[in-house]
Amino acid sequence: MVIMEGGRRGGGEIIMEEENENFAPSSPQEIDNVIQEMLSAIESVAQLGDYRRTQKKECYGLVRRMKLLLPLIDEIRELDTPISETNMAALCNLKKALVVAKKLLKLCNEGSKIYLALDMEIVIIRFHAVCEKLSAALDGLDFDELGVSDEVKEQVELMCLQLRRAKRRTDTQDIELAMDMMVVFSKNEDRNADIAIVERLAKKINLHTTEDLKYETIAIRNLVKERGSQSSESIQQMIDLLNKFKQVAGMEITNVLDDPIVPKMLGKSLSLVIPHEFLCPITLEIMRDPVIIASGQTFERESVQKWFDSNHRTCPKTRQTLAHLSIAPNYALKNLILQWCEKNNFKLPKKDDSETSECTAEQKEEIVSLVEQLSSSKLEVQKEAVRKIRLLSKENPENRILIADCGAIPPLVQLLPYPDSKILEHAVTAVLNLSIDESNKRLIAQQGAIPAIIEILQSGSTEARENSAAALFSLSMLDENKITIGLSDGIPPLVDLLQNGTIRGKKDAVTALFNLSLNQANKARAIDAGIVLPLMNLLEERNLGMVDEALSILLLLATHPEGRHKIGQLSFIETLVEYIREGTPKNKECATAVLLELGANNSSFILAALQYGVYEHLIQLTEGGTSRAQRKANALLQLISKSEHL
């Protein structure tokens, strides 16, 4: 057995059987078996459905190309004349490539979403390897001997061209996703600014519902079982991130490796399997009161009602927008469930939510009272009310939704310019906490909070400034808010905080500036505000632990002409080469990416890097760097080779 290029055991790795490349079946039965295996592989992937967000583009491209092979396979199957040993060997290679492609697509369809995001570059390398094997197998076929029609031949040749292009593609890295992963893994502070990043990351890789997280728990447990190790650093990172996602979703944090995922009522009888259609897609537990919603899907009444009460207007399963939020009892399914329970002597769990409802009603009454007190004429009453709302909004997602529903956002925004520094600090922090909820982001901006937050960022206390920067980061997750913050002159005070703030202030500022710089117009504003110099200072002060964040922003700025000019004026190339030579693996990866972006637009940067001895360090990276660093280093070496021939 051999592992595909870039792969490693476990985590859904793609393993290929080593076969004799010259082996050629001689009997019609053996030939038919090869044909059937190819058809089976293609039909299997056609039924897989959706793919993980991180590899969606590659998956659909590969499936499309596999389907294009069906006419070719059909014509070969209908061939009456014998197939030569050379063509038979090529068909065997094609079969192997299709089987490997099927395994890779299955991994991207049902494997751990966190693994696929964490090792995104490795998975992309596997796609390149599959494309290479498909291309090589098709190149080995003699179409004339196989009697392939001109139309099918042209179609396959076009597909081979696409495969070669896919194989040469050098960068599918999602820079925003990569930055979020980096920030989440590098921060241990329990702050809502960090929770906002976790929430965005959860939504990017579709791990923000109870159903998604339960399936992900199973996927990670299977991954650990395959690897045979529970203590590796990457496994622990994945478990930590899964627990952060659960925390944001309001789920209980449990031991991923030991606690059972199946509903508790199944623990008594593991041999009893509940029919899949009896389980609620949200809770994965047997339904007591199944109801149908507008999408035609069935859920437990309590679960889907909570989904709707959380301001969701989509189907939890299909994600389609619903025409209405009405629900109707599914009496037919309920009767089937009751019959099955009676037949199997299975007792449905008792519904006991009176305590929860009472608690929610009591809490809502408290929040309504606090919101009213925000407009009190008594300073101490206002101060205590905004302090309590700040604390409640930090606790959990349900509180953030409830506080907003009770009308707290408008009076909180009105308190942002308040002359009392403590009220102002509580108010901006409460706004930060509430902004973590996606629907609240837009409402906060619509209430005119952004200019007021920027004013606090300019002249507030140290903690107020830091939390203002974090609030701008959270709000800027919406593209329209990125534009509003830029147009409201929010970038210069963030740059000032990056230059002169505390360590926490610098971290909040660098995260917000990265987010804002994803907008092209904001890149120019950040450059004009003097962002390059404090970023360079972060590279010099390694003890602050923000080197990778600084390099990630510089990579964004390097895509802007003025950014390349400013960076080039500051002898930046030598610093990059230093990090490529002696930085951490992530430092080397980021620095190489920045140098590649600069060099691709201006060969003088490449020449300067060569003078600082970058060549030998790039060679070392191609042999021992991270997957992404290896690809960037190889691309840089190609640029160097081209420049030498000019």
Side-chain angles (χ1 to χ4, degrees):
M1 306 285 281
V2 295
I3 300 176
M4 256 179 58
E5 176 189 358
R8 61 170 182 256
R9 293 203 62 84
E13 96 250 58
I14 309 305
I15 300 178
M16 295 183 354
E17 294 182 5
E18 188 68 62
E19 298 183 31
N20 186 343
E21 296 292 333
N22 296 319
F23 172 72
S26 55
S27 71
Q29 181 62 45
E30 289 173 317
I31 295 171
D32 187 60
N33 287 342
V34 172
I35 296 292
Q36 287 303 321
E37 284 189 60
M38 288 194 286
L39 289 173
S40 175
I42 297 172
E43 289 170 0
S44 295
V45 302
Q47 298 172 1
L48 284 178
D50 202 8
Y51 296 95
R52 304 310 195 219
R53 176 239 186 258
T54 42
Q55 288 81 24
K56 189 181 291 284
K57 181 179 179 181
E58 286 75 16
C59 287
Y60 282 125
L62 182 55
V63 171
R64 185 176 65 253
R65 290 167 190 135
M66 290 174 70
K67 289 179 179 178
L68 287 174
L69 291 174
L70 287 173
L72 171 66
I73 296 172
D74 285 339
E75 290 196 1
I76 294 174
R77 183 168 53 178
E78 294 172 1
L79 187 66
D80 294 330
T81 58
I83 296 179
S84 69
E85 185 172 333
T86 301
N87 265 327
M88 201 63 239
L91 285 175
C92 287
N93 289 336
L94 182 58
K95 178 208 72 175
K96 289 192 296 180
L98 290 173
V99 170
V100 170
K102 182 185 75 171
K103 292 179 180 178
L104 178 55
L105 289 166
K106 189 176 180 182
L107 165 66
C108 296
N109 174 261
E110 59 187 40
S112 162
K113 295 178 181 179
I114 295 177
Y115 163 76
L116 290 169
L118 185 62
D119 279 354
M120 184 164 46
E121 294 295 325
I122 291 176
V123 178
I124 293 301
I125 289 174
R126 294 176 182 175
F127 273 99
H128 290 173
V130 167
C131 289
E132 185 174 353
K133 290 191 173 294
L134 285 171
S135 179
L138 291 170
D139 287 343
L141 290 174
D142 186 334
F143 295 113
D144 293 332
E145 180 189 300
L146 293 171
V148 176
S149 65
D150 290 341
E151 181 182 355
V152 171
K153 182 179 178 182
E154 289 174 2
Q155 184 172 293
V156 173
E157 287 175 346
L158 177 61
M159 192 190 77
C160 287
L161 179 61
Q162 294 174 347
L163 287 169
R164 284 190 286 272
R165 287 174 180 169
K167 187 175 63 176
R168 288 198 303 267
R169 188 166 60 249
T170 58
D171 194 7
T172 57
Q173 176 81 4
D174 183 327
I175 186 170
E176 188 176 351
L177 177 61
M179 179 68 172
D180 286 349
M181 296 286 284
M182 180 173 62
V183 171
V184 166
F185 285 130
S186 66
K187 287 192 175 185
N188 296 316
E189 303 171 37
D190 182 21
R191 303 185 63 215
N192 276 347
D194 301 333
I195 295 174
I197 304 175
V198 174
E199 186 175 69
R200 176 169 74 177
L201 185 57
K203 290 181 178 179
K204 271 183 167 290
I205 58 178
N206 294 325
L207 280 177
H208 53 98
T209 68
T210 302
E211 180 186 17
D212 291 334
L213 290 166
K214 286 188 176 182
Y215 280 123
E216 179 65 15
T217 303
I218 295 171
I220 290 180
R221 185 176 298 171
N222 290 338
L223 184 152
V224 173
K225 186 177 179 181
E226 290 173 15
R227 290 189 177 183
S229 170
Q230 301 179 3
S231 59
S232 71
E233 181 181 355
S234 62
I235 287 291
Q236 193 56 53
Q237 280 186 323
M238 293 168 65
I239 292 174
D240 291 344
L241 185 54
L242 175 63
N243 285 335
K244 288 181 180 180
F245 289 160
K246 287 183 176 180
Q247 183 180 12
V248 168
M251 290 177 65
E252 181 184 358
I253 305 301
T254 58
N255 189 316
V256 172
L257 302 179
D258 296 334
D259 288 353
I261 302 302
V262 293
K264 292 180 181 178
M265 75 281 294
L266 293 183
K268 300 176 182 177
S269 179
L270 294 177
S271 60
L272 184 62
V273 179
I274 298 177
H276 178 73
E277 59 270 21
F278 292 176
L279 302 179
C280 173
I282 296 177
T283 63
L284 298 185
E285 296 188 0
I286 191 167
M287 290 182 277
R288 299 182 305 266
D289 188 7
V291 294
I292 303 173
I293 65 173
S295 64
Q297 301 293 328
T298 296
F299 301 88
E300 174 66 37
R301 180 188 294 272
E302 179 185 354
S303 301
V304 78
Q305 192 60 58
K306 284 183 179 179
W307 174 263
F308 291 154
D309 291 344
S310 299
N311 289 331
H312 291 104
R313 297 295 180 267
T314 57
C315 172
K317 188 172 183 180
T318 66
R319 299 300 183 197
Q320 71 184 82
T321 302
L322 300 174
H324 58 80
L325 301 184
S326 302
I327 56 178
N330 191 336
Y331 292 119
L333 181 59
K334 186 172 184 177
N335 287 334
L336 287 173
I337 292 174
L338 291 175
Q339 290 173 16
W340 181 87
C341 289
E342 184 177 354
K343 180 181 178 181
N344 292 279
N345 196 25
F346 184 90
K347 291 184 179 180
L348 285 171
K350 294 181 180 180
K351 186 176 181 180
D352 184 20
D353 58 356
S354 56
E355 184 179 342
T356 303
S357 299
E358 183 180 342
C359 177
T360 302
E362 183 181 334
Q363 193 173 41
K364 185 173 183 179
E365 186 177 337
E366 178 191 4
I367 291 173
V368 169
S369 176
L370 289 173
V371 171
E372 291 175 355
Q373 293 170 17
L374 289 176
S375 302
S376 172
S377 59
K378 298 179 180 179
L379 180 64
E380 289 305 315
V381 172
Q382 277 187 314
K383 186 180 295 185
E384 183 62 14
V386 72
R387 185 188 72 83
K388 287 183 177 179
I389 287 179
R390 170 185 179 175
L391 295 175
L392 286 171
S393 63
K394 181 180 175 66
E395 286 183 3
N396 55 58
E398 289 75 19
N399 279 3
R400 291 190 273 276
I401 294 169
L402 186 57
I403 291 169
D405 287 345
C406 291
I409 289 177
L412 279 173
V413 172
Q414 291 174 11
L415 288 177
L416 290 178
Y418 206 87
D420 184 275
S421 61
K422 207 62 188 175
I423 286 182
L424 182 149
E425 184 181 304
H426 288 322
V428 76
T429 308
V431 169
L432 160 63
N433 296 341
L434 292 174
S435 71
I436 294 172
D437 182 79
E438 192 73 19
S439 58
N440 288 347
K441 286 178 172 56
R442 190 167 278 106
L443 181 58
I444 290 169
Q446 289 171 350
Q447 291 296 318
I450 288 176
I453 293 172
I454 292 172
E455 188 174 335
I456 297 171
L457 179 62
Q458 292 170 327
S459 56
S461 65
T462 298
E463 185 174 351
R465 292 184 70 204
E466 292 168 357
N467 288 344
S468 296
L472 290 179
F473 159 73
S474 179
L475 292 171
S476 68
M477 290 182 185
L478 295 183
D479 289 339
E480 61 263 36
N481 288 348
K482 288 184 178 73
I483 297 170
T484 301
I485 294 168
L487 291 174
S488 302
D489 291 329
I491 291 178
L494 283 171
V495 172
D496 180 69
L497 186 63
L498 182 65
Q499 178 72 42
N500 303 309
T502 63
I503 293 179
R504 171 174 282 187
K506 290 177 186 290
K507 287 184 177 181
D508 288 327
V510 78
T511 311
L513 285 165
F514 170 83
N515 221 34
L516 291 167
S517 296
L518 293 169
N519 176 275
Q520 186 69 8
N522 284 343
K523 292 177 187 177
R525 295 186 180 103
I527 294 164
D528 291 340
I531 191 175
V532 174
L533 183 58
L535 288 176
M536 296 296 181
N537 292 338
L538 290 183
L539 297 183
E540 296 296 328
E541 301 178 57
R542 302 191 185 197
N543 60 309
L544 295 180
M546 286 180 273
V547 170
D548 295 332
E549 287 90 336
L551 287 171
S552 295
I553 297 179
L554 288 165
L555 177 58
L556 290 175
L557 300 181
T559 64
H560 192 284
E562 186 62 24
R564 290 193 291 274
H565 175 71
K566 290 286 185 182
I567 292 171
Q569 294 297 312
L570 293 169
S571 304
F572 181 45
I573 305 303
E574 184 175 7
T575 303
L576 285 180
V577 175
E578 287 177 5
Y579 274 107
I580 293 173
R581 179 179 69 245
E582 58 187 27
T584 66
K586 190 66 180 179
N587 291 164
K588 294 179 179 181
E589 175 186 312
C590 293
T592 306
V594 176
L595 183 56
L596 176 60
E597 183 64 39
L598 292 171
N601 289 278
N602 190 332
S603 60
S604 64
F605 292 120
I606 296 288
L607 296 176
L610 287 172
Q611 291 177 354
Y612 292 120
V614 75
Y615 189 87
E616 61 181 285
H617 308 311
L618 292 176
I619 295 295
Q620 292 173 0
L621 269 186
T622 61
E623 298 170 350
T626 66
S627 299
R628 187 167 181 243
Q630 289 180 21
R631 294 173 55 210
K632 298 296 184 182
N634 279 316
L636 260 173
L637 290 171
Q638 291 177 9
L639 272 182
I640 292 171
S641 178
K642 288 180 182 178
S643 64
E644 289 176 346
H645 288 87
L646 293 178

